[in-house]
Structure formats: structure tokens, C-alpha cells
Amino acid sequence: MLYTRWGKELDKSCPLSEYPRPQFVRDSYLSLNGEWDLNFCKEGEEKTEYEYKITVPFSPETPLSGVGRELQKDERLIYRKQFTLPDGFNKGRVILHFGAVDQIAHLKVNDRDIFTHEGGYTPFEMEITDCLADGENELIVTVEDYCEDNEYLRGKQRTKRGGIWYSPQSGIWQSVWLESVPQEYIKSVRITPDYDKEQVHFDFIGCEGVNIRIYDGNDMIADTNDSTVKIPDFKPWSPESPFLYDVVFTYGKDRVKSYFGMRKFSTGIDKNGVKRLFLNNEPYFHNGLLDQGYYPDGYLTPPSNAAMEYDVKTVKALGFNMLRKHIKIEPLLWYHYCDKNGIIVWQDMVNGGGNYGLEVSAIPFIGITLDDTKHARFHRTSEKAMRLYYQELDEMLSHLYNCPCIAVWVPFNEGWGQFDSVDAYRHIKAFDSTRIVDTTSGWHDMGASDVISKHIYFTPIKVKAGNRPYVLSEFGGLSTRVTGHTWGDRMFGYKIYKTCDTLTKAYNKLFNKVIIPQIKDGLSATVYTQVTDVEDELNGLMTYDREVLKVDAETIKEINERVKV
């Protein structure tokens, strides 16, 4: 069994205990992570005693949960947590937050049904004030998870794992916490920088007349109740200078801290007439890595927040400026680390649908593009699951809107459960016109996208510039095994090398002979596969446990100095 250094040092009494939402901070916070009771129950089965103690927020399938048992298709999970609010905690309303629960969560507080949430990757919250008792309270969470059987979003989980598909997991897998707010409070805010007009706009939900104070370090540069604030001579955000403005919102007795970055993501034409990705009105090459966000001991759940920060800082130190967050929505702290360290993020939507077939495995490689309005061709047959896709898409867009680092939304990847992508493109653009959309990453491009997006692992990479920026949104996947640092005995990779030295030489050749020469021809972004090994996939720049960098750091940094427009 493979552990990370952070997993080995896990404090089971309060894992991942840091404040989980740096983009919207209050001074009220009570973590419910730690030891919970757990049962596996069949439909209609009632158990009077709890069989397991589980460390939340780790799924029961993971080593760090302390359970190590997989949920079966005819079972559901029943969690119990007993808690007591500290004296003075309740300021008027008490809100219960879940970072993510896979897939369907039914909640009870003190034997009162309060909420049901469908969808395994997005956060949800609910007020529980009227359900609370003096002294001890009881929270029951009943979870159903059908993995690929109900066409809901499941990411890269598969019941029969292997290759590019990973171990299934279930239940609570992001932090659970409480906060208290006054009777009248700020429910949410959308922060929209306007680079060209030298201003930032704030849209508050559920309240008017919010006081806004903006800070440049310790210096307050604005104190206003206007929703649009001018910032003359502002400091731009970029990977080279990731400057963030702090902001404090006050509404009655409610006080919230946040931040924003002044930046602009767009597309344009460079001085040679080539379509490019632009940052802050200048051509800018996105040079990044595919980032699955998996860990050998926590799977989707990081063993600590420091583990997430380590990945981001390592990528930055190697000279990359971008990460494509692949088929996963991370805890908000991960995006905060990207904001602070200057890493651009391409954010994937999580995939769903039925069991994938030739539309993924064969047809794209012979140059055929399928019409994704024919849902059965893409194994999308459940109307309910398609409606849920849009529900979770909107939840993701709202959840991550205020993260300065996010440049690109990716609603579909490689045809996995793809449907009506033109509608998805229009939907996202109506919700957020400030970012770029790579609608169908890889193939099955229906013409509604801001980029030409290609995945090339096996055939020669030949850039063909067009009326949209050309992005190599997946490539590479060069692999080697590092003994003692692998998850299992199997090995998956697109090209396999015997040693780290030969891997480095192959990486060097790929960039110097293929990638860098084609930037002048219109190549505008690269997403190399990938940050770390994941289960059978041994194509990471780091091992799965993050203990070994498999390529020479100085070679990678030298290459990255030249991967630019």
C-alpha cells in the first residue's frame, strides 16, 4: 500500500482542518472533519449499531478513511456525526456545508429530514438553525452511489478500474463544516474584473448596500457602497506577477473577506496574423500539465492541504504556467494556491453518461466527427442525467467564478458522455463571458468553441493554424517505473522508458524537435500528460506518492524558458 508523506502524518482527529473557503472568509468556522460512525446497509436494512469508525472526509474505499471497504451496488452508506456547538457560536443562523458527496446525499439533523443533493462533485449548503438542540446534536447522512450505472457524473471512476480509469469511491470526500451568520447576511458575490475599463464589479446575491473596502497590501484604496469600483493604474495579475487585491465586504453585522486579480483572458491575432490565446491583451502561451488531482492514500481527497500546495508549487518551480484540472473539481484551497502562485487553470467539467464505446476508443482516430445531438451515439440516454449535468455545470461555474486563475472552461472531454455541445458552449458563454471555452477537448468538435483542441499521443504532431487558436490540450504521456513508488504491478503509458535519464532525454527531444519549432506556426498552448503517476498510469513527472521527480528539474526549467510566443 502506497502512502504520501502527508498521509503518513495524518491527524485523524482533525484532517484538512484549515478554513476551506479562502475566496469568501468569515470568522465563524467549525470543522466537522474527523471521526464519524458508518454503516453499509442494503435497501430497507436497519442497523442499530454502527460497524465502522471512518475518518471524514476520506471515502470508505481509501486507506486514509480507516475503513478500506468498497460500496457495493445494492448498498448505501449511512454516516453519523454527533456535535455540540461552542458557546456563542450561533450568531442568528447556522449553515451546514459539504464540499462534495458522491453521488446522492440525504441529510437529517436531529431526526428531521432537511436536504437531498444529487451530484458527486459540487458543494452544497443548507441552514439548520431550526433543527438544532441545546447540547448535543446528531447529523445523519445517507449516501447512494451507482458509479457508472446511472449516467450521473462520475469522473474517472470505474467499477472495473484499470488503465486510464481509476478506483471507484463513494460518500463524503470533501470537508464538512459549520458557520454561523447574522439574520441578514451576504449569501454570495460575483467578482468580475474589467481589465480594459480599469474597474471591478461586484454582484451581491440577496442584499443591497454592501460596503466594499479594497486593499493593496495594507493600503486601503477604496471604501464605497458602489457595486462598480474604479482602480486606476492597477497592478495586473499574471503568472509572472500574481498580484491579488484584498477586499472586505460589510453588510450590517456580517463581514466577509475575499480577494481578486485584475486580469483578462481572451483570444486575438498576433503581429504575424496568427490566432492566439491572449492574457491582458497580449499573446501568451499557456504551457501546462494535465492534473488529475489523485492521491494513493486519499484518492480524490488530498491527504492534507499542504499536499495540494506542494503540487502547485512544484509545477511552478519547474517553470510551467498552467494546469489543466482534469475531470475533477478540487477543494477551493487548491484554486487559492494557483491564484497566489500564478498558475493559470483550465477547468474541466466532470463527465458522465453510459459506458463509452467506439465514439471514444476508435472513431476519432480515423478522422470521423460524430454529431453529438444524436445522444445514443455518445451513450447519453437518460434525460434526468442530462438535466443534472447542467445543474452541476452551473454549480461549478458559480462555485469557481471568483478564482482569478481560471482561464478556460472545458465542458466535454474526448466524447465522454458528450451531448449538445453547441448548447453547452452558448450556456457557458451566457453565464461567463470573461473566459475562454474549449468545448470538446480532443475531438468531436461541432464548431462552437474558442479554440481548436487536439489530443495527440500516437500520431505525429502537426500544427494546422486556423480561425481559432490551436491548442494541444493533451499529449506526451511518457512513462517510466520507479521501483518502490508505484501503486501496483500494472503499467500504463503511451511511450515507456526504462530509466528516468532516458525519460528526460525523450521529453527534451519532444519539446526541442516537435513542440517549440511549431509555436511560430500557430501552436498556442500545450498540456503535457501529466503531473503525477495515477494508479496504473506511470506517465507523471512525479511518482504517485510525490517522492520522486522522474525528470531532471534543470532540463525542464531550461525548456520552459523557451516555451513561449
Side-chain angles (χ1 to χ4, degrees):
M1 193 172 292
L2 190 66
Y3 282 83
T4 63
R5 71 190 79 164
W6 304 277
K8 293 174 184 176
E9 299 170 355
L10 181 72
D11 182 353
K12 292 191 172 186
S13 66
C14 56
L16 298 142
S17 60
E18 295 91 339
Y19 190 87
R21 192 181 57 188
Q23 295 84 356
F24 200 77
V25 178
R26 290 190 175 94
D27 61 5
S28 170
Y29 172 57
L30 179 63
S31 176
L32 295 185
N33 292 345
E35 186 179 272
W36 291 45
D37 299 315
L38 178 71
N39 270 334
F40 293 76
C41 294
K42 296 183 183 297
E43 184 66 34
E45 181 181 16
E46 299 291 339
K47 294 182 179 179
T48 57
E49 299 294 330
Y50 283 85
E51 186 175 359
Y52 296 95
K53 298 290 185 182
I54 184 170
T55 302
V56 167
F58 299 101
S59 292
E61 292 83 357
T62 67
L64 292 180
S65 71
V67 176
R69 180 183 179 311
E70 187 174 308
L71 180 70
Q72 302 301 306
K73 291 182 180 180
D74 61 347
E75 294 179 321
R76 56 197 173 121
L77 299 170
I78 301 179
Y79 291 82
R80 180 177 69 176
K81 179 68 173 178
Q82 294 169 316
F83 64 93
T84 301
L85 297 182
D87 292 341
F89 181 82
N90 188 349
K91 300 177 181 179
R93 301 177 186 269
V94 177
I95 312 295
L96 174 62
H97 296 265
F98 285 81
V101 181
D102 194 12
Q103 290 172 310
I104 305 167
H106 309 278
L107 310 183
K108 284 186 176 183
V109 174
N110 294 331
D111 210 33
R112 288 177 58 179
D113 292 311
I114 59 167
F115 198 76
T116 293
H117 182 264
E118 294 185 281
Y121 286 80
T122 49
F124 55 96
E125 64 184 61
M126 71 295 304
E127 183 179 353
I128 62 170
T129 315
D130 294 340
C131 304
L132 295 171
D134 294 333
E136 190 172 74
N137 294 273
E138 182 180 71
L139 169 62
I140 303 291
V141 184
T142 302
V143 180
E144 304 164 62
D145 185 359
Y146 303 98
C147 201
E148 66 264 40
D149 282 359
N150 60 359
E151 294 194 18
Y152 284 18
L153 306 188
R154 61 181 180 274
K156 299 196 76 174
Q157 302 177 59
R158 180 175 283 182
T159 305
K160 295 181 179 179
R161 55 153 305 280
I164 67 167
W165 307 105
Y166 311 144
S167 298
Q169 61 184 94
S170 57
I172 299 169
W173 68 272
Q174 286 194 32
S175 288
V176 187
W177 55 288
L178 294 167
E179 70 173 335
S180 187
V181 297
Q183 288 291 336
E184 301 295 328
Y185 68 103
I186 304 168
K187 292 181 173 60
S188 65
V189 61
R190 278 171 55 118
I191 305 174
T192 307
D194 190 328
Y195 190 93
D196 294 332
K197 293 183 179 179
E198 296 186 307
Q199 64 189 27
V200 59
H201 185 74
F202 303 93
D203 288 304
F204 295 97
I205 308 301
C207 55
E208 296 180 355
V210 176
N211 177 254
I212 301 164
R213 293 183 178 183
I214 298 173
Y215 294 84
D216 177 344
N218 293 323
D219 297 328
M220 186 171 65
I221 61 172
D223 183 355
T224 182
N225 288 69
D226 294 336
S227 58
T228 299
V229 184
K230 284 281 189 179
I231 310 179
D233 301 318
F234 62 79
K235 297 176 181 177
W237 182 97
S238 70
E240 291 72 30
S241 180
F243 184 83
L244 299 171
Y245 288 93
D246 293 319
V247 59
V248 177
F249 307 119
T250 305
Y251 179 65
K253 296 180 180 179
D254 195 22
R255 186 173 184 269
V256 175
K257 296 179 183 178
S258 187
Y259 63 86
F260 62 90
M262 294 296 295
R263 84 292 179 265
K264 177 184 178 182
F265 298 115
S266 60
T267 62
I269 300 174
D270 70 11
K271 62 184 180 182
N272 297 315
V274 177
K275 288 287 286 189
R276 297 285 186 189
L277 300 178
F278 274 48
L279 171 63
N280 300 338
N281 292 328
E282 296 291 339
Y284 192 88
F285 196 95
H286 292 207
N287 173 24
L289 301 171
L290 197 71
D291 186 0
Q292 314 272 7
Y294 267 76
Y295 300 85
D297 41 11
Y299 296 5
L300 285 171
T301 310
S304 77
N305 291 314
M308 291 194 294
E309 187 174 24
Y310 177 84
D311 283 2
V312 171
K313 286 188 171 181
T314 299
V315 166
K316 182 72 174 184
L318 289 171
F320 296 97
N321 62 29
M322 178 262 280
L323 286 168
R324 179 182 169 198
K325 180 50 61 177
H326 194 40
I327 317 297
K328 181 192 179 188
I329 302 168
E330 290 284 4
L332 281 171
L333 273 162
W334 183 84
Y335 301 93
H336 180 61
Y337 300 140
C338 292
D339 292 336
K340 287 200 325 178
N341 289 283
I343 292 290
I344 293 169
V345 172
W346 293 19
Q347 177 62 50
D348 287 10
M349 180 58 179
V350 181
N351 59 293
N355 290 314
Y356 310 138
L358 295 177
E359 80 284 0
V360 168
S361 62
I363 288 175
F365 300 103
I366 55 176
I368 295 176
T369 296
L370 295 178
D371 180 357
D372 64 16
T373 64
K374 311 297 184 184
H375 297 165
R377 291 182 178 178
F378 289 84
H379 298 84
R380 274 287 191 181
T381 56
S382 168
E383 293 292 333
K384 180 179 180 181
M386 285 188 280
R387 289 194 300 271
L388 185 61
Y389 171 90
Y390 275 99
Q391 174 190 310
E392 290 191 78
L393 176 63
D394 286 348
E395 289 173 351
M396 179 188 77
L397 295 173
S398 297
H399 181 52
L400 301 180
Y401 184 87
N402 292 341
C403 300
C405 61
I406 296 179
V408 179
W409 301 116
V410 186
F412 296 110
N413 178 74
E414 292 187 346
W416 302 350
Q418 182 176 321
F419 68 102
D420 301 335
S421 61
V422 173
D423 291 342
Y425 174 82
R426 292 170 179 163
H427 182 90
I428 294 171
K429 282 295 190 178
F431 191 101
D432 180 9
S433 63
T434 70
R435 291 179 169 101
I436 298 160
V437 178
D438 176 5
T439 310
T440 53
S441 187
W443 40 76
H444 299 307
D445 184 345
M446 296 288 102
S449 181
D450 294 327
V451 295
I452 299 168
S453 180
K454 299 294 184 181
H455 296 183
I456 303 174
Y457 288 106
F458 303 111
T459 56
I461 296 170
K462 182 60 178 175
V463 173
K464 295 181 181 178
N467 62 352
R468 294 176 274 165
Y470 185 105
V471 303
L472 193 54
S473 44
E474 284 189 35
F475 78 109
L478 310 182
S479 306
T480 194
R481 175 187 295 276
V482 179
T483 302
H485 297 277
T486 58
W487 189 77
D489 296 329
R490 297 178 184 176
M491 181 174 185
F492 176 89
Y494 297 101
K495 292 182 181 179
I496 297 172
Y497 297 88
K498 292 183 178 180
T499 67
C500 292
D501 182 57
T502 55
L503 177 68
T504 299
K505 290 177 180 177
Y507 184 99
N508 188 50
K509 181 179 179 181
L510 174 61
F511 273 82
N512 282 310
K513 299 294 185 182
V514 179
I515 299 302
I516 294 173
Q518 295 195 80
I519 294 175
K520 69 180 186 311
D521 299 327
L523 182 60
S524 295
T526 49
V527 182
Y528 178 86
T529 302
Q530 58 186 335
V531 176
T532 73
D533 296 345
V534 184
E535 297 196 359
D536 295 351
E537 288 190 70
L538 302 186
N539 50 19
L541 297 186
M542 289 189 285
T543 55
Y544 200 11
D545 58 5
R546 279 73 170 169
E547 287 300 312
V548 179
L549 180 65
K550 299 195 288 182
V551 290
D552 178 68
E554 293 305 315
T555 299
I556 302 303
K557 286 189 282 188
E558 189 276 329
I559 291 170
N560 285 336
E561 283 292 318
R562 295 181 290 113
V563 182
K564 57 185 64 174
V565 178

